[in-house]
Structure formats: structure tokens, C-alpha cells
């Protein structure tokens, strides 16, 4: 896999980027630096690290010199679309076109039935088209639109037969009655469909409210850091599942957690609520990250005693906790059986932060003989800490290859954490063909 497969939309893309050797033009990645209030392209990164924007006076980012070989992009230039965004745009256009065709399909069928009945000998009939028109309109139109379509279909069927004879024969009467009966049935179907839509909308609203209560979206800026979170459930039309994230600003720094509860369904959602509730309380009260982990361990143990069946003794939660002390360019990581976080530097370097002393997931601490131990690493300005669940790292393509976030993100730079998560989510969907097999939770924090 090439890092060029991951692209993000935004004004920082350059139209007509040069094509490198052995790289398709639509896969070319162009990192950018901010210069003089505009975005300037740097198609060929120079050797050595590229420093990110440091805060200048008044909290503004100081200008970063662009590559001397790359002129600044004109402000009026129109950014080209990346492969991912182009695919998304093409799908949206096709969907809009399909919806437009469906909206006019009932009218086309009614008109087609009339034209067919007029242009063919008397033995031929357009009754199938007249009959189908109100049925197609039922799930697409309002009740009034469906009723109007049904009346138009009955009138069309009658007009076709009245044109050839003033007194309709038995076949003509049967055909007109059939079209009228189907039109009435279509109106009934429309009412049933509309009530179902209202119930579904109500259920979706309740699910969204539950998600906001269990997994509230964090503020864009917490404790001086830029923050973004994203959750996508594998089950269609689901809003919450077994993955979790939380961010809390405390007197000891900004503390984070991303985790994945074993199991599915309401049991997993209940465990998510327990972990997040325990984390928010412990993050404020405990002096160390190790003590926070122990509080989560005890909370899950209490939750397990209230469960029946295998979940009573097989429940566990993989999690990674992080702490960003105020005024200190470091990050402390405590990993309990979770995929390692990634540290994205401003020059496009991506470094995983695996645990040097692996620990068991939360809920299985009594099986381990060693205590928790947080590990500390440097977190420089302009860098972004990315935490994710295994819905990202275990996503597979058609050939069964796993998604490699470290490789796909290497060489890329993003304006902010929100753009990073949006591009990453699009690329994961593209890698696995549009359908996730597991929930995906993403949390990104950048030191400005």
C-alpha cells in the first residue's frame, strides 16, 4: 500500500500536480505549508525534518517558508479533487441522478401508457403501465401526489378506450377498474410507508440522543489542544456500539481514553457507559494515569457482577489512556491491550507508540502479576496524537489485506485533527469497499 492512497479534501490541494515516477497522477500526494496567509505547495519534500507552525505573538501561527523550488499557489486557483473525493463526488452525482429519475418515473409511465394505447391497434393495451404508475409513486410521493398519480392513471386508461369506442366493452371496463383498484391500494401503501418513516425518524432521533449522552462530541479545543473525535458503527443505521472515547481537562493535564468493549449489543453499550463514567470521575480525582486505569478496572469488575452468562466472567475492554501535562511537551501513554497510538509529526513522519511492557485489557488485571506503568514520550508542537480502535487496523480489502494506518498516513499533513479524521475514515471505507466489519472510533489531539 502506498501512502498516496490516502488523500483529503480541502483548499490545500494543488491542481495539476506533477506525476512522480511510478506513481499515478491521481494518487500523487502534495504536502503544503502556510506562507504569507496563503497555501503554497511543496511537491518534493527536502531531506531533513520540516518544522511545523510555531505559535507566534498573539497566538497566530508563524509563517513557514515554502520550498524554494515551488512558487506560491495563486489565491484564485481551483483545487483539484483527490481520488477519494472524486469517487465520493461521482457517487453523489449518480445518487442525485437516480433520485431525479425515480421522481419522474410515475409520470413517464402514465404518459407512456397513454401513448402506447393511442399508437397501437385496439387489441393492444397500456394497462400495465397505468397500473404500475401509482404503485411506483406510493413510496416516492406524498399522499396527495400518489392520489393525483392514481387519478391520472385511471383517466388515461379511460381516455384511451373512449377514443376508440363510446361504449366500453367488458375488457375495457375490467382494465379501468383494475387501474382504479391499484390506485386506491397505492394510496393506502403510501400512508403505511409514511407512518413507518415517521417511526424510523423518531427511533433515529432517540439513537442520536443516546449517542450524544454516552459519547458526547468533545469541544474543538480543550486545554489548549485542538481536538477531534469520530465514531462510525459497523451496523447500518446504528449510532453507538462497543467502542468509546473521552477527553477531560484536569488539573494534571488533558487526559484521554479510547477503548473497545468485548461483545456487541446493549451489553457492550452498557459497559461503554460504565467505562466513560468511571474515567470522567477518576481523571479528575486520581493523581496518576496508573491510578485512573485501576479505577476503570474496579468499575468493570463491579459491572461484571451484575451480568449473567459468559459476560459475567469473560468481559473485558481494551483501552489506551493518555495524559498531556500542561506546559510540558510530553505525553504519557498507558496501554491495556489496545492498538498503539500514532504520533504524526509536521514533516509527515508517522511514529507508532507501542507499549514496551504489554499489559492485559481492563477487566483482566487480576490475571497479571505486574502493576500498570505509563510510558512517556516527547510530544512536540505541531504534532498530532491519533488514537483509534481496531476497526481501523483490522479493516480488510477484497484480498484480505489489513489496513495499515502508519503507512497510509506517512508523508501527509493536515490542517487540523478534523481533516485528519475525515480523510482517514474515507480511506478506510475505500480500502474495505465501503462497508465496515467492526465499529471505528477515532480521537486526534494536536499541540498547536
Amino acid at each position: 500500500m502506498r501512502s498516496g492512497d490516502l488523500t483529503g479534501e480541502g483548499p490545500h490541494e494543488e491542481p495539476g500536480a506533477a506525476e512522480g515516477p511510478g506513481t499515478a497522477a491521481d494518487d500523487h500526494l502534495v504536502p503544503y505549508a502556510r506562507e504569507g496567509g496563503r497555501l503554497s505547495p511543496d511537491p518534493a519534500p527536502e531531506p531533513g525534518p520540516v518544522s511545523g507552525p510555531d505559535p507566534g505573538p498573539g497566538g497566530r501561527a508563524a509563517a513557514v517558508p515554502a520550498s524554494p523550488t515551488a512558487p506560491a499557489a495563486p489565491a484564485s486557483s481551483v483545487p483539484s479533487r483527490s481520488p477519494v473525493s472524486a469517487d465520493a463526488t461521482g457517487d453523489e452525482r449518480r445518487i442525485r441522478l437516480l433520485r431525479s429519475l425515480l421522481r419522474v418515473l410515475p409520470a413517464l409511465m402514465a404518459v407512456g401508457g397513454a401513448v402506447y394505447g393511442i399508437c397501437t391497434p385496439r387489441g393492444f393495451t397500456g394497462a400495465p403501465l397505468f397500473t404500475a404508475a401509482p404503485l411506483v409513486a406510493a413510496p416516492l410521493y406524498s399522499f396527495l401526489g400518489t392520489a393525483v398519480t392514481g387519478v391520472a392513471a385511471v383517466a388515461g386508461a379511460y381516455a384511451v378506450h373512449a377514443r376508440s369506442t363510446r361504449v366500453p366493452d367488458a375488457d375495457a371496463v375490467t382494465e379501468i377498474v383494475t387501474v382504479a383498484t391499484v390506485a386506491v391500494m397505492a394510496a393506502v401503501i403510501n400512508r403505511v410507508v409514511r407512518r413507518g418513516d415517521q417511526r424510523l425518524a423518531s427511533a433515529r432521533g432517540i439513537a442520536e440522543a443516546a449517542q450524544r449522552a454516552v459519547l458526547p462530541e468533545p469541544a474543538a479545543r480543550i486545554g489548549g489542544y485542538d481536538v477531534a473525535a469520530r465514531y462510525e458503527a459497523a451496523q447500518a443505521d446504528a449510532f453507538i456500539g462497543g467502542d468509546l472515547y473521552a477527553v477531560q481537562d484536569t488539573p494534571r493535564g488533558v487526559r484521554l481514553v479510547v477503548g473497545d468493549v468485548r461483545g456487541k449489543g446493549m451489553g457492550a453499550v452498557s459497559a461503554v457507559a460504565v467505562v466513560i463514567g468511571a474515567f470522567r470521575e477518576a481523571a479528575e480525582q486520581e493523581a496518576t494515569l496508573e491510578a485512573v486505569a485501576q479505577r476503570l478496572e474496579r468499575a468493570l469488575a463491579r459491572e461484571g457482577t451484575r451480568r449473567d452468562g459468559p459476560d459475567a466472567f469473560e468481559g473485558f475492554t481494551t483501552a489506551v489512556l493518555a495524559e498531556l501535562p500542561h506546559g510540558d511537551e510530553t505525553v504519557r501513554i498507558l496501554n491495556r491491550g489496545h492498538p498503539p497510538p500514532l504520533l504524526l509529526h509536521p514533516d509527515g513522519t508517522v511514529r507508532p507508540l507501542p507499549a514496551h511492557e504489554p499489559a492485559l485489557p481492563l477487566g483482566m488485571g487480576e490475571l497479571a502479576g505486574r502493576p500498570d506503568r505509563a510510558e512517556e514520550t516527547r510530544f512536540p508542537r505541531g504534532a498530532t496524537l491519533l488514537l483509534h480502535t481496531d476497526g481501523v487496523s483490522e479493516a480488510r480489502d477484497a484480498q484480505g489485506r489489513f489496513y495499515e494506518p502508519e503507512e497510509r498516513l506517512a508523508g501527509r499533513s493536515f490542517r487540523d485533527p478534523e481533516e485528519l479524521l475525515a480523510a482517514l475514515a474515507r480511506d478506510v471505507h475505500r480500502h474495505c469497499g465501503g462497508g465496515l466489519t467492526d465499529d471505528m472510533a477515532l480521537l486526534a489531539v494536536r499541540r498547536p
Side-chain angles (χ1 to χ4, degrees), residues 188-240:
V188 175
I189 292 173
N190 176 269
R191 298 297 292 177
V192 173
V193 169
R194 290 292 165 247
R195 288 182 180 177
D197 289 344
Q198 292 173 358
R199 292 175 181 173
L200 179 59
S202 176
R204 289 176 65 88
I206 295 172
E208 290 178 0
Q211 182 190 32
R212 286 192 295 268
V214 177
L215 287 178
E217 184 175 353
R221 195 168 181 85
I222 299 177
Y225 296 90
D226 297 329
V227 180
R230 191 182 187 99
Y231 189 96
E232 295 192 17
Q235 184 178 357
D237 297 325
F239 291 92
I240 53 178

Side-chain angles (χ1 to χ4, degrees), residues 29-221:
L29 295 175
V30 183
Y32 282 75
R34 186 172 295 278
E35 176 181 358
R38 295 184 302 176
L39 294 172
S40 60
D42 187 8
E46 296 293 331
V50 178
S51 61
D54 292 338
R60 294 183 180 179
V64 177
S67 172
T69 61
S76 61
S77 61
V78 179
S80 62
R81 294 193 178 272
S82 62
V84 176
S85 62
D87 291 344
T89 303
D91 291 341
E92 292 174 359
R93 282 199 298 265
R94 286 191 291 270
I95 291 174
R96 285 197 296 266
L97 178 60
L98 180 59
R99 286 177 176 173
S100 300
L101 291 176
L102 288 176
R103 296 290 296 180
V104 301
L105 183 58
L108 292 177
M109 297 180 76
V111 173
V115 172
Y116 183 84
I118 293 173
C119 298
T120 57
R122 185 177 179 183
F124 296 87
T125 176
L129 294 174
F130 288 128
T131 305
L135 287 177
V136 175
L140 300 176
Y141 292 177
S142 64
F143 179 79
L144 179 60
T146 303
V148 170
T149 303
V151 171
V154 174
Y158 176 80
V160 168
H161 289 289
R163 179 177 174 273
S164 58
T165 176
R166 293 184 177 180
V167 181
D169 56 14
D171 292 339
V173 171
T174 302
E175 182 178 315
I176 295 171
V177 171
T178 300
V179 174
T181 303
V182 173
V184 173
M185 293 175 59
V188 175
I189 292 173
N190 176 269
R191 298 297 292 177
V192 173
V193 169
R194 290 292 165 247
R195 288 182 180 177
D197 289 344
Q198 292 173 358
R199 292 175 181 173
L200 179 59
S202 176
R204 289 176 65 88
I206 295 172
E208 290 178 0
Q211 182 190 32
R212 286 192 295 268
V214 177
L215 287 178
E217 184 175 353
R221 195 168 181 85

